[in-house]
């Protein structure tokens, strides 16, 4: 009996320790009747072990390490064309920790809006509803130059992408965010 238990224990230990390498892949099946199907590499040929994946990640240089300067049109944080949930969440983070974002060039997608500022003056902004459209986050848009309302601005509710340098005024529990020197583009969304 003791000998049988020892053999079972040895089999279990040996069987469990011979762990196969895990492979990770994302697959998408393309119908074989499409012209692209012949040009695709089979998923099996793209599989790498988890160890190989970690090596590849470690070899990928960070943006700062590439030595390539950021172009003037490239923002520090690009929220354009992301899901409304991601944009909404990131703007919430900006409001809670504005010091982390101040002075950075931000690009965001949302809806153009006008409203009354703190002193009752007309202000312009980009608003982003959350996924359920029950709540919105917004950032004031401040443009430099001779822009005239309403001629040089989109209509309220029109989808836009706006880019500018983030500034803020801290309030008790939140911050008043603004994009300085902002540029506005209309989108077809």
């Amino acid at each position: 009996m003791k000998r049988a238990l020892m053999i079972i224990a040895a089999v279990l230990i040996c069987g469990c320790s011979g762990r196969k390498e895990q492979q990770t892949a994302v697959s998408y099946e393309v119908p074989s009747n499409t012209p692209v199907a012949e040009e695709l590499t089979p998923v099996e040929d793209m599989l790498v072990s988890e160890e190989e994946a970690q090596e590849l990640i470690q070899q990928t240089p960070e943006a700062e390490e590439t030595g390539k300067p950021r172009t003037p049109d490239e923002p520090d944080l690009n929220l354009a064309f992301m899901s409304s949930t991601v944009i909404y969440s990131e703007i919430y983070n900006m409001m809670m920790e504005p010091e982390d974002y101040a002075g950075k060039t931000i690009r965001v997608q949302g809806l153009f809006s006008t409203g009354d500022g703190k002193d009752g003056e007309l202000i312009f902004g980009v608003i982003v509803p959350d996924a359920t459209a029950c709540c919105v986050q917004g950032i004031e848009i401040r443009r430099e130059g001779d822009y005239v309302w309403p001629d040089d601005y989109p209509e309220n509710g029109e989808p836009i992408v706006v880019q500018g340098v983030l500034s803020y005024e801290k309030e008790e529990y939140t911050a008043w965010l603004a994009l300085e020197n902002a540029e506005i583009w209309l989108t077809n969304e």
Side-chain angles (χ1 to χ4, degrees):
M1 180 70 164
K2 221 179 199 185
R3 182 175 162 97
L5 287 175
M6 293 291 280
I7 292 173
I8 293 172
V11 169
L12 287 175
I13 290 171
C14 291
C16 293
S17 66
R19 181 176 162 235
K20 294 181 180 177
E21 285 187 23
Q22 287 183 321
Q23 294 185 338
T24 308
V26 176
S27 67
Y28 173 74
E29 192 172 317
V30 177
S32 59
N33 60 350
T34 62
V36 176
E38 295 89 38
E39 300 172 17
L40 296 176
T41 305
V43 171
E44 294 78 26
D45 295 344
M46 296 186 290
L47 294 176
V48 295
S49 68
E50 193 163 328
E51 184 178 283
E52 291 171 313
Q54 289 302 322
E55 286 177 24
L56 289 170
I57 290 169
Q58 290 172 354
Q59 292 172 4
T60 304
E62 296 295 324
E64 294 82 33
E65 295 175 10
T66 61
K68 289 195 264 180
R70 191 173 56 81
T71 63
D73 296 330
E74 191 178 331
D76 295 309
L77 178 59
N78 189 348
L79 298 174
F81 307 107
M82 292 186 173
S83 76
S84 60
T85 302
V86 172
I87 300 169
Y88 178 88
S89 299
E90 195 63 38
I91 293 174
Y92 177 82
N93 290 340
M94 288 179 200
M95 293 177 76
M96 301 314 296
E97 303 285 338
E99 306 83 21
D100 295 345
Y101 298 90
K104 295 191 179 202
T105 302
I106 310 291
R107 184 180 295 166
V108 64
Q109 171 189 348
L111 303 172
F112 182 77
S113 180
T114 59
D116 294 327
K118 293 178 186 178
D119 302 325
E121 78 281 2
L122 180 66
I123 62 168
F124 310 102
V126 57
I127 59 170
V128 180
D130 70 351
T132 61
C134 71
C135 305
V136 296
Q137 295 285 5
I139 302 177
E140 183 180 351
I141 299 171
R142 296 179 183 162
R143 299 170 85 184
E144 286 205 4
D146 297 326
Y147 296 102
V148 178
W149 167 257
D151 300 336
D152 299 323
Y153 288 89
E155 293 183 28
N156 274 322
E158 204 163 357
I160 62 167
V161 172
V162 62
Q163 179 173 307
V165 177
L166 191 80
S167 68
Y168 71 95
E169 293 175 35
K170 189 80 170 174
E171 296 180 1
E172 189 174 351
Y173 296 108
T174 188
W176 183 274
L177 304 175
L179 292 174
E180 305 288 343
N181 304 321
E183 297 179 52
I184 300 172
W185 302 277
L186 296 175
T187 67
N188 294 331
E189 300 248 331

